[in-house]
Amino acid sequence: MITVVRTSIISGQSVSMNLDITQAQIDAYDSGALVQDAFPNLDRSQREFFISGITPEEWDEVFDE
């Protein structure tokens, strides 16, 4: 488990999330791997958080239909 801290591109707030990832996976992503290839064990909302800092709750608030 690695604690990932991101700043939401929507709210500008820093948020942390514990993700079941390794440093090797982060390095692969940083080297250009697609997020779904670098982190196949994460679900869509966790990958979105890693990319943009948007939490599932924030996503629902903004994009709820």
Side-chain angles (χ1 to χ4, degrees):
M1 243 351 137
I2 293 181
T3 300
V4 176
V5 179
R6 293 287 187 259
T7 301
S8 168
I9 62 171
I10 292 175
S11 68
Q13 293 183 340
S14 290
V15 182
S16 64
M17 185 181 288
N18 292 322
L19 298 175
D20 186 17
I21 58 176
T22 65
Q23 186 61 50
Q25 288 175 299
I26 294 170
D27 293 344
Y29 177 77
D30 288 344
S31 294
L34 297 174
V35 71
Q36 63 269 27
D37 294 336
F39 309 109
N41 56 311
L42 298 182
D43 64 31
R44 289 183 300 168
S45 64
Q46 291 169 319
R47 291 192 302 256
E48 183 61 42
F49 173 79
F50 192 89
I51 294 168
S52 66
I54 300 172
T55 63
E57 298 79 17
E58 190 173 36
W59 183 273
D60 289 344
E61 286 177 20
V62 174
F63 299 106
D64 190 28
E65 296 180 5

